[in-house]
């Protein structure tokens, strides 16, 4: 089984199967992304292997990641939108802005949310 040249991969796979460990390659992976609190690691065209043992799946990503800053998309909120919401819901400018941010810029939803609270 284990010789001077290393190990026999067929024997190793057989032993792993006997121990209840199954390995397979995940096909068709175009991109894998790991999101951290301050950045993202993006793997383009990685190899991904799945190992399953005792009901647990472990994913192994093989490839070179590209570090990217984490992007936070903020909805643009115009002064006109704020004015409309504050007039319709009879709230302060701060409350109108917050409601628009929470509704991702949806004016009608912001007004409904403010009137319900």
């Amino acid at each position: 089984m284990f010789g001077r040249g290393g190990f026999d991969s067929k024997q190793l796979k057989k032993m792993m199967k006997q121990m209840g460990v199954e390995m397979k390659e995940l096909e068709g992976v175009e991109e894998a992304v790991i999101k951290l609190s301050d950045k993202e690691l993006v793997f383009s065209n990685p190899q991904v292997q799945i190992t399953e043992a005792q009901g647990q799946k472990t994913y192994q990503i093989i490839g070179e990641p590209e570090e990217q800053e984490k992007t936070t998309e903020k909805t643009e909120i115009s002064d006109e939108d704020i004015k409309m919401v504050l007039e319709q819901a009879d709230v302060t400018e701060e409350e109108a802005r917050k409601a628009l941010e929470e509704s991702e810029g949806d004016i009608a939803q912001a007004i409904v949310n403010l009137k319900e609270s």
Side-chain angles (χ1 to χ4, degrees), residues 29-71:
V29 178
E30 296 177 6
E31 182 176 78
V33 180
I34 299 175
K35 295 183 179 192
L36 305 170
S37 61
D38 60 341
K39 62 185 172 189
E40 293 180 348
L41 300 176
V42 180
F43 296 80
S44 295
N45 297 314
Q47 285 182 286
V48 179
Q49 293 180 341
I50 303 171
T51 304
E52 188 168 353
Q54 299 176 352
Q56 294 278 88
K57 288 184 181 179
T58 303
Y59 293 79
Q60 180 179 2
I61 302 170
I62 302 167
E64 193 64 37
E66 178 185 317
E67 280 191 29
Q68 296 179 354
E69 282 188 35
K70 196 166 190 177
T71 57

Side-chain angles (χ1 to χ4, degrees), residues 7-108:
F7 55 88
D8 182 354
S9 64
K10 288 182 182 178
Q11 287 286 342
L12 181 60
K13 286 181 183 178
K14 186 177 179 183
M15 285 176 40
M16 289 177 68
K17 191 166 187 149
Q18 288 174 343
M19 293 187 304
V21 178
E22 226 179 287
M23 287 181 66
K24 64 182 176 183
E25 180 116 3
L26 187 59
E27 300 293 330
V29 178
E30 296 177 6
E31 182 176 78
V33 180
I34 299 175
K35 295 183 179 192
L36 305 170
S37 61
D38 60 341
K39 62 185 172 189
E40 293 180 348
L41 300 176
V42 180
F43 296 80
S44 295
N45 297 314
Q47 285 182 286
V48 179
Q49 293 180 341
I50 303 171
T51 304
E52 188 168 353
Q54 299 176 352
Q56 294 278 88
K57 288 184 181 179
T58 303
Y59 293 79
Q60 180 179 2
I61 302 170
I62 302 167
E64 193 64 37
E66 178 185 317
E67 280 191 29
Q68 296 179 354
E69 282 188 35
K70 196 166 190 177
T71 57
T72 54
E73 291 184 28
K74 249 191 165 178
T75 306
E76 289 291 322
I77 298 172
S78 70
D79 290 338
E80 294 84 27
D81 292 350
I82 294 170
K83 185 177 179 182
M84 182 178 290
V85 171
L86 74 89
E87 288 173 355
Q88 293 293 318
D90 193 30
V91 294
T92 67
E93 184 176 332
E94 290 172 14
E95 291 170 319
R97 180 180 302 279
K98 183 179 178 188
L100 282 165
E101 288 172 356
E102 289 173 355
S103 68
E104 297 177 355
D106 185 330
I107 296 169

